[in-house]
Amino acid sequence: MARDRLTVGNLTVNPGERAYGFLFVATLAARTEVRIPIHVLHGLEDGPTTCLEATLQGWEPMGAEILRQALQRVDPTQLRGTILCLPFANPLAVEFGGSIEGAGQRVNPADQIDLNKVWPGKTSNAWLTERMAAVIWNEIIMRCQYLLDLHDGTASSDELPVAFPHAFPPDPASAVAAAGPADGVGGGAIVGTGAQPGGLSPAQMQAVNQKMREMAIAFGSRVIWWREQPLVSTMLSGAAALAGIVPLVAEAGGANTLDATIGEAVECTLNVLKYLNMIDGTLVLPKRQIMVSNYAIMRSQTGGFYHAEPGTRLGVEVRKGDLLGRVIDPLTSEVTEECRAPTNGLIISRRVIMPLNPGGYIAHIADTDSIIWERMNA
């Protein structure tokens, strides 16, 4: 039986077609329209509807390039199901949040609110960012069975592809973390609380966990950070899981740079579509995959210029206490800080853009003492 046309945003897409358009949100005071770009591939055959989304935070733009490259390799006439792609979920944060040539900022400059803290959004008595979330939620997310939420190492750091599945905890009664509205102006952002958040039964929560775990492994990153913690219902991945949509958060790339991590992440994105049987092909996997339960995020204690030790590269294994680099006073050349690995592990992300201030990223390290699953691939 032939599939129906799909109408989303300003688009009507026939089966077997690709189209580009937008979701209209609002008009600003100077009559600038707030529009969220969309890229839709509507397959000829039935299959899942999957959202591929990036740039919730404007200082993490490289997911847009990953999605662009990946979807240029997908033929909609051979696609099973539908891909709803949001390469720039927070366009104002990319366009206007930073310097002229910057990557934007984390929050929406129109109201200084983080788009990843207001899901599923609001349609009345709402900040602009909450309205953006509501439009995305109602027009895109709620049509989907699966979600790939791409982030990157911010403008400061590069990053290997890594999957960050955030699963329901074992106790259904603690499934949802405490969360509030954007700034105390009203409720409506909580999807659910108690033993059955969002109406999911314990069995349904475990089913979401299992699919999330399988999708994380199929994503094909060298490292998977598996967490079983109360979900934050105002984050996109938490809200999606509570609605029964299987989410996978992943990070790759960064420093506003087209480097080798982008190509790896493109293959990982295509792996998800292969796993969901939306496209044909064999999964492209690394020689070794590990799943860890702990992940160390290192931040600088001082400001200055960070000089990495030779050999401190992405994917390198380090031992606890190893010297990763030094922060140098750019005026006096004094070493103000020695940055040492806090755990045994693999370097997943590292600082590459200068200068840095106290609290700036130095490195992300996957804790290899917390490996809970490991696989060697052919």
Side-chain angles (χ1 to χ4, degrees), residues 24 64 78 96 231 234 288 338:
F24 175 79
Q78 302 299 313
F96 304 116
L231 301 186
T234 49
R288 181 191 184 213
E338 289 192 343

Side-chain angles (χ1 to χ4, degrees), residues 231-317:
L231 301 186
V232 179
S233 63
T234 49
M235 294 180 67
L236 176 56
S237 59
L242 291 163
I245 300 161
V246 180
L248 177 63
V249 178
E251 297 196 3
N256 309 339
T257 301
L258 294 172
D259 59 16
T261 66
I262 302 300
E264 285 188 46
V266 168
E267 297 298 342
C268 290
T269 302
L270 294 171
N271 280 345
V272 169
L273 300 179
K274 295 171 188 176
Y275 160 75
L276 296 175
N277 197 34
M278 298 181 73
I279 63 173
D280 293 328
T282 303
L283 298 182
V284 177
L285 300 173
K287 291 182 179 180
R288 181 191 184 213
Q289 288 178 279
I290 60 173
M291 182 182 292
V292 300
S293 61
N294 187 45
Y295 195 81
I297 297 175
M298 293 182 60
R299 295 179 181 273
S300 174
Q301 298 298 312
T302 60
F305 283 77
Y306 174 68
H307 290 246
E309 284 291 285
T312 304
R313 302 184 307 275
L314 295 180
V316 167
E317 188 163 356

Side-chain angles (χ1 to χ4, degrees), residues 71-281:
L71 293 187
Q72 287 304 304
R73 291 171 54 183
V74 177
D75 181 350
T77 67
Q78 302 299 313
L79 177 67
R80 294 177 287 274
T82 300
I83 298 171
L84 303 178
C85 178
L86 296 163
F88 293 106
N90 197 353
L92 293 180
V94 177
E95 298 279 19
F96 304 116
S99 64
I100 292 173
E101 294 182 325
Q105 62 184 28
R106 184 182 184 92
V107 299
N108 183 349
D111 53 20
Q112 298 299 303
I113 292 174
D114 187 337
L115 181 57
N116 205 23
K117 292 186 178 179
V118 297
W119 296 92
K122 294 169 61 182
T123 56
S124 62
N125 192 30
W127 288 101
L128 176 62
T129 299
E130 293 174 308
R131 290 181 61 181
M132 291 168 62
V135 169
I136 293 172
W137 183 263
N138 293 321
E139 294 222 31
I140 301 292
I141 305 300
M142 288 303 290
R143 297 177 185 235
C144 298
Q145 293 82 54
Y146 299 92
L147 164 68
L148 177 61
D149 176 16
L150 281 178
H151 297 255
D152 73 34
T154 77
S156 69
S157 307
D158 56 7
E159 186 168 18
L160 289 173
V162 58
F164 289 103
H166 189 165
F168 287 104
D171 180 9
S174 62
V176 183
D183 69 347
V185 297
I190 303 298
V191 177
T193 58
Q196 294 185 328
L200 295 186
S201 69
Q204 289 172 319
M205 291 184 217
Q206 289 308 308
V208 170
N209 279 3
Q210 181 61 33
K211 291 177 182 177
M212 195 187 309
R213 181 185 175 96
E214 292 173 359
M215 192 158 70
I217 292 171
F219 180 73
S221 55
R222 304 181 211 182
V223 171
I224 303 161
W225 180 20
W226 178 259
R227 295 163 291 171
E228 293 183 2
Q229 302 168 354
L231 301 186
V232 179
S233 63
T234 49
M235 294 180 67
L236 176 56
S237 59
L242 291 163
I245 300 161
V246 180
L248 177 63
V249 178
E251 297 196 3
N256 309 339
T257 301
L258 294 172
D259 59 16
T261 66
I262 302 300
E264 285 188 46
V266 168
E267 297 298 342
C268 290
T269 302
L270 294 171
N271 280 345
V272 169
L273 300 179
K274 295 171 188 176
Y275 160 75
L276 296 175
N277 197 34
M278 298 181 73
I279 63 173
D280 293 328

